[in-house]
Amino acid sequence: QVQLVESGGGLVQTGGSLRLSCTASGQTFSVYNMGWFRQAPGKERDFVAGITWNGGSTGYADSVKGRFTISRDNAKNTVYLQMNSLKPEDTAVYYCAARRVYTIRLYYTVKDYDYWGQGTQVTVSS
């Protein structure tokens, strides 16, 4: 089992940037694919970005392509989400998630992931 703790959320103006971090503990981080999801009030939890266990492949939701970048540092057991050019519609609670994997592929849905953090609030003011 792995425990995930997110940090780095906050309030930012439109056009600003934030970097979210998610640190894992409990098991070998490098065997897990990692993902970032977000959930706005009254809406479902949606995929934002994902990265394979070795960092070799990444995937993004269309709404964040070109603005957000996911990366990981396996030596630090941490995955990051760099968010640039933020918009009010990016406002949500952001969650990181982990899935133990045995193949190199990306995963895109809530059901694909086994472990979740508690979430961190990102608010973008207009």
Side-chain angles (χ1 to χ4, degrees), residues 2-24:
V2 63
Q3 292 79 44
L4 305 173
V5 178
E6 302 99 333
S7 61
L11 174 64
V12 64
Q13 291 186 333
T14 296
S17 298
L18 283 174
R19 188 176 81 155
L20 306 183
S21 300
C22 173
T23 301

Side-chain angles (χ1 to χ4, degrees), residues 40-83:
K43 296 189 176 181
E44 294 185 348
R45 190 170 298 187
D46 292 329
F47 173 80
V48 175
I51 188 167
T52 52
W53 63 270
N54 62 351
S57 294
T58 58
Y60 298 92
D62 287 343
S63 59
V64 306
K65 279 181 181 176
R67 299 189 298 123
F68 290 11
T69 303
I70 188 171
S71 62
R72 67 189 294 161
D73 185 339
N74 286 348
K76 295 183 177 180
N77 290 355
T78 301
V79 62
Y80 305 97
L81 186 68
Q82 178 65 45
M83 306 186 295

Side-chain angles (χ1 to χ4, degrees), residues 28-123:
T28 305
F29 180 67
S30 59
V31 301
Y32 289 87
N33 265 29
M34 300 301 294
W36 284 98
F37 290 73
R38 66 186 181 186
Q39 188 168 20
K43 296 189 176 181
E44 294 185 348
R45 190 170 298 187
D46 292 329
F47 173 80
V48 175
I51 188 167
T52 52
W53 63 270
N54 62 351
S57 294
T58 58
Y60 298 92
D62 287 343
S63 59
V64 306
K65 279 181 181 176
R67 299 189 298 123
F68 290 11
T69 303
I70 188 171
S71 62
R72 67 189 294 161
D73 185 339
N74 286 348
K76 295 183 177 180
N77 290 355
T78 301
V79 62
Y80 305 97
L81 186 68
Q82 178 65 45
M83 306 186 295
N84 298 329
S85 302
L86 283 161
K87 306 175 182 179
E89 50 264 44
D90 295 318
T91 295
V93 177
Y94 283 71
Y95 298 90
C96 76
R99 175 191 170 106
R100 187 179 177 95
V101 294
Y102 302 94
T103 58
I104 299 178
R105 57 155 289 188
L106 291 167
Y107 295 86
Y108 300 95
T109 73
V110 170
K111 292 182 179 180
D112 288 330
Y113 289 83
D114 304 310
Y115 304 102
W116 294 84
Q118 82 289 348
T120 185
Q121 176 71 46
V122 172
T123 302

